Amino acid sequence: MLLPGAEKYLNKSSRDLWTEQLANDRLILSQIDAAIVYFNSPEGADGISEYTIDTGQDRQTIKRTDIGNLMSWKNRLVSEIAQLERSLGLNGSAARRIVPGF
């Protein structure tokens, strides 16, 4: 029995799922970068302390006091993006599975 909504993943390959995840991660990373830039801009530094991140699926309002969490989230996303790019063979690299021949 499938979980509700899981049927859209039935006929997708791992590569397709990883490619979609990579696109989602890049979108979220761009939104996080925009929030960090905003909070460090003159406009954001002059008392405006909220910013809304819109990922296309949901909206999240963050405060200037959350900048440490944003930086942590950004670092995790950068690592995940690099891992997905390696797994997908982008930038001339690819993850390989080596199985011993014994």
Side-chain angles (χ1 to χ4, degrees), residues 29-74:
L29 181 61
S30 71
Q31 291 292 309
I32 290 172
D33 282 340
I36 291 169
V37 166
Y38 176 78
F39 285 137
N40 289 309
S41 70
E43 183 180 86
D46 287 338
I48 300 171
S49 61
E50 290 187 350
Y51 186 86
T52 302
I53 292 178
D54 185 357
T55 65
Q57 294 179 342
D58 67 349
R59 289 184 175 179
Q60 181 177 0
T61 301
I62 53 170
K63 297 184 180 195
R64 165 177 263 173
T65 56
D66 296 326
I67 203 156
N69 292 335
L70 283 176
M71 294 302 290
S72 176
W73 192 8
K74 177 181 176 172

Side-chain angles (χ1 to χ4, degrees), residues 66-85:
D66 296 326
I67 203 156
N69 292 335
L70 283 176
M71 294 302 290
S72 176
W73 192 8
K74 177 181 176 172
N75 290 336
R76 287 192 311 267
L77 276 172
V78 167
S79 295
E80 184 171 320
I81 288 169
Q83 171 67 37
L84 287 167
E85 287 175 342

